[in-house]
Amino acid sequence: MWLEDWLHRYPGTLIVISHDREFLDSICNVTLHLEQQQIKRYGGNYSQFEVQRAQQLALQQSAYEKQQRTVAHLQSYINRFKAQATKARQAQSRVKALEKMELIAPAHIASPFTFEFRTPDSAPNPMMVMEDVRCGYRAEDGSEIPIVERVMLSIQNGQRIGLLGANGQGKSTLIKTLAGTLEALSGHVREGKGLRIGYFAQHQLETLRPDDTPLQHLARLAPDTREQELRDFLGSFNFSGDMATAKIAPFSGGEKARLALALIIWQKPNLLLLDEPTNHLDLETRHALTMALAQFEGTLILVSHDRHLLRATTDQFMLVAKHRLQEFDGDLDDYRDWLLQHAAEQRAALKANAAGNGGNAGAAGNGVGAANGVDSGVNRKEQRRLEAETRQKLAHLKKPLQSRIAKIEKEMDALNAEKATLDAFVADPASYEPERKNKLTEAIRREADVNARLESLEADWLETHEELEQIG
Ligand SMILES: Nc1ncnc2c1ncn2[C@@H]1O[C@H](COP(=O)(O)OP(=O)(O)OP(=O)(O)O)[C@@H](O)[C@H]1O
Ligand SMILES: [Mg+2]
């Protein structure tokens, strides 16, 4: 959300590759689509692109069908008359028409990919219980590095939990502890009888073996299953034929993620622990995963920064922040508000800090500093450090605005210079000679464009200045 907000204010041109539709919708106004070795440009954000593309495909399909009818008609004419001398010339011209006709490709709708989770056999309830667990790591010298503490959690069968929290707060650490790949530093973790965890780690792709094929990966999990059955299963994840028996090293990130998901699904889990499973998936595969998860009958804990996926597949949220796990009472929009509020408070504190420090400099002289006695030296040093830090943070906030202003001013200067030349030309009676008519029309049109652009730049300039003043 921070990045989204920052990019909104970024004055330059931006090219972004992302599979996050809400993110794309919010920051892009042009969409380039790569398909079948071609790039196509669509005006508008992702949602608008989807609509336009669907319309285009429909149009293309009907144009194709229409053309196919014409082709068939011409062909039958040729077939009928090519033997008759009187009609031969006409038939010949139709042959030419047919040759010239550029064939429209049939609308190629990438075969929609779907998969589903297998229905779990049975599930314990509760599935897992954590009692006063401390999750974290051990340093080499054996000392503890606690990350999330005092975790009390009872996972009920059928719950669908979205795990929220900023980078580095400990979501993955908690999930690793639940999955059992990381031992709890203290406390009790109890698993229900018959629990089958399907765990997709944040760095899951690193657990795949690059020199092995998808088939070998799956066969390791199912040594006793017939190869054809494994191939069929892989086929349902779009690993057909050659791909099932090719080394996975050169596979794209998305292809590897798709394989990792297939391997999890094969194991028929009743509790899914998914830590950012969509990081590499393209929008179609994300869509397929979203649908599959929405229909999954087991229990789910999901870490994802994809708001669309969270909305569609989870119905309650928990938050990892400040070394604690707690229920988050609200939906994703509430979370967004919470984040913004949080950020605003931090900024306000920062500003207050800056203002306060400035004021204190005077106060220090009339006894406040002296009253602190021994501490005052340390305090002043700390204060200077804080002031420097605040200045730095403010400068950081101001920088994008300042560079935007500079950019606006540069463009305004260039336009003003051009405007002066145009004005002079239009004001000159000699410009109204008949042979200059075209040039004059062009100058007047350009003048209007320049004026309009200047007007919008000025508004932009004022707005940006206001924002800058607000920061202080
Ligand atoms: N093996 C490790 N040893 C020590 N500290 C670690 C280890 N792995 C992670 N950490 C620390 O634990 C903290 C939490 O990391 P974690 O990966 O759980 O965060 P996260 O909430 O999943 O973040 P993100 O959204 O970026 O995935 C971080 O400060 C990280 O540096
Ligand atoms: Mg993580």
Side-chain angles (χ1 to χ4, degrees):
M1 284 171 185
W2 172 85
L3 178 64
E4 201 173 296
D5 190 48
W6 191 86
L7 288 175
H8 270 292
R9 283 182 280 128
Y10 173 65
T13 300
L14 164 76
I15 299 182
V16 60
I17 298 172
S18 167
H19 298 302
D20 182 333
R21 62 162 63 222
E22 295 203 15
F23 178 70
L24 288 176
D25 271 350
S26 145
I27 60 168
C28 297
N29 50 20
V30 169
T31 303
L32 298 178
H33 183 228
L34 275 68
E35 186 186 44
Q36 296 181 295
Q37 282 96 47
Q38 293 195 330
I39 302 184
K40 210 159 176 181
R41 181 188 188 282
Y42 294 81
N45 64 15
Y46 181 79
S47 294
Q48 289 160 338
F49 151 78
E50 260 190 349
V51 173
Q52 288 177 53
R53 181 167 141 78
Q55 284 168 347
Q56 259 181 19
L57 284 175
L59 272 179
Q60 193 183 336
Q61 188 64 32
S62 82
Y64 173 75
E65 281 161 11
K66 198 167 147 208
Q67 194 186 47
Q68 285 300 301
R69 284 197 296 276
T70 317
V71 167
H73 188 73
L74 285 173
Q75 195 63 53
S76 81
Y77 187 93
I78 294 164
N79 292 345
R80 256 185 302 149
F81 297 116
K82 68 180 169 217
Q84 290 181 32
T86 51
K87 298 274 187 185
R89 252 192 44 218
Q90 273 159 302
Q92 200 53 45
S93 77
R94 279 169 172 72
V95 171
K96 286 214 181 92
L98 194 59
E99 279 167 358
K100 262 207 253 152
M101 198 184 284
E102 199 184 315
L103 289 185
I104 301 170
H108 170 89
I109 302 169
S111 58
F113 166 61
T114 60
F115 64 88
E116 54 189 47
F117 286 90
R118 303 152 140 210
T119 311
D121 291 331
S122 68
N125 199 22
M127 311 208 69
M128 270 187 105
V129 176
M130 278 189 158
E131 275 167 4
D132 200 11
V133 169
R134 186 145 36 118
C135 309
Y137 305 89
R138 261 179 215 288
E140 276 171 20
D141 64 4
S143 62
E144 295 185 351
I145 310 173
I147 304 291
V148 193
E149 301 180 271
R150 296 199 208 149
V151 179
M152 300 292 254
L153 179 66
S154 170
I155 304 170
Q156 306 296 311
N157 187 9
Q159 271 189 309
R160 315 178 67 89
I161 302 169
L163 204 54
L164 305 174
N167 292 135
Q169 292 297 308
K171 301 178 296 297
S172 296
T173 306
L174 176 69
I175 295 268
K176 280 186 244 176
T177 315
L178 283 168
T181 61
L182 180 69
E183 207 186 320
L185 293 175
S186 70
H188 298 285
V189 182
R190 279 190 284 117
E191 293 191 356
K193 206 161 173 285
L195 178 75
R196 285 180 86 115
I197 291 179
Y199 171 45
F200 188 103
Q202 187 169 5
H203 303 287
Q204 182 75 8
L205 306 193
E206 289 158 21
T207 65
L208 298 173
R209 300 188 192 172
D211 289 330
D212 283 0
T213 68
L215 195 58
Q216 284 167 329
H217 277 93
L218 188 58
R220 258 201 304 279
L221 294 176
D224 302 327
T225 311
R226 275 186 320 120
E227 185 177 314
Q228 191 54 48
E229 194 179 328
L230 301 183
R231 278 179 182 272
D232 290 346
F233 180 75
L234 287 170
S236 71
F237 281 85
N238 269 7
F239 294 108
S240 46
D242 295 346
M243 218 176 164
T245 50
K247 285 185 182 188
I248 65 158
F251 283 14
S252 75
E255 287 161 349
K256 287 181 190 155
R258 180 146 45 85
L259 175 61
L261 278 173
L263 296 177
I264 288 171
I265 288 172
W266 175 267
Q267 302 172 63
K268 263 194 169 180
N270 47 28
L271 172 62
L272 281 178
L273 302 175
L274 305 182
D275 194 352
E276 307 201 23
T278 57
N279 275 354
H280 296 274
L281 300 180
D282 61 24
L283 279 154
E284 300 211 6
T285 315
R286 269 179 195 221
H287 180 69
L289 176 65
T290 310
M291 301 306 277
L293 281 178
Q295 286 162 40
F296 175 58
E297 289 179 24
T299 309
L300 167 69
I301 300 187
L302 172 66
V303 181
S304 174
H305 300 295
D306 181 330
R307 286 161 278 174
H308 184 70
L309 179 70
L310 282 171
R311 277 187 226 280
T313 62
T314 63
D315 49 28
Q316 76 183 92
F317 293 107
M318 288 192 172
L319 178 66
V320 181
K322 298 186 184 149
H323 302 288
R324 294 284 186 276
L325 171 74
Q326 46 188 293
E327 302 237 354
F328 184 79
D329 184 20
D331 60 14
L332 275 184
D333 298 320
D334 296 324
Y335 180 56
R336 190 195 162 86
D337 293 345
W338 182 82
L339 281 177
L340 291 176
Q341 177 77 21
H342 204 66
E345 275 164 17
Q346 265 183 346
R347 265 201 306 274
L350 221 61
K351 256 206 249 179
N353 204 345
N357 286 341
N360 276 348
N366 52 38
V368 178
N372 281 343
V374 190
D375 278 338
S376 68
V378 181
N379 279 347
R380 258 204 296 279
K381 204 169 147 201
E382 171 67 1
Q383 201 175 58
R384 271 201 300 277
R385 195 189 61 75
L386 276 177
E387 278 169 14
E389 197 180 297
T390 309
R391 268 198 308 278
Q392 218 175 22
K393 287 190 178 161
L394 287 179
H396 196 71
L397 287 174
K398 283 179 180 174
K399 212 164 162 215
L401 295 175
Q402 283 162 338
S403 67
R404 176 160 178 183
I405 289 175
K407 197 170 165 244
I408 295 175
E409 285 175 348
K410 200 169 154 208
E411 191 181 346
M412 279 169 77
D413 283 347
L415 286 173
N416 276 323
E418 190 182 354
K419 184 171 150 63
T421 318
L422 289 167
D423 286 348
F425 182 80
V426 172
D428 185 359
S431 305
Y432 292 78
E433 300 289 340
E435 71 271 17
R436 288 200 166 168
K437 187 162 171 255
N438 284 345
K439 215 172 157 205
L440 181 67
T441 326
E442 178 49 34
I444 290 170
R445 190 181 312 134
R446 178 67 195 151
E447 209 175 26
D449 287 347
V450 167
N451 285 336
R453 178 73 189 143
L454 273 172
E455 209 170 294
S456 102
L457 282 172
E458 266 161 25
D460 216 341
W461 188 91
L462 280 171
E463 214 175 270
T464 315
H465 256 284
E466 250 163 37
E467 266 181 67
L468 199 59
E469 269 158 30
Q470 268 169 19
I471 294 178

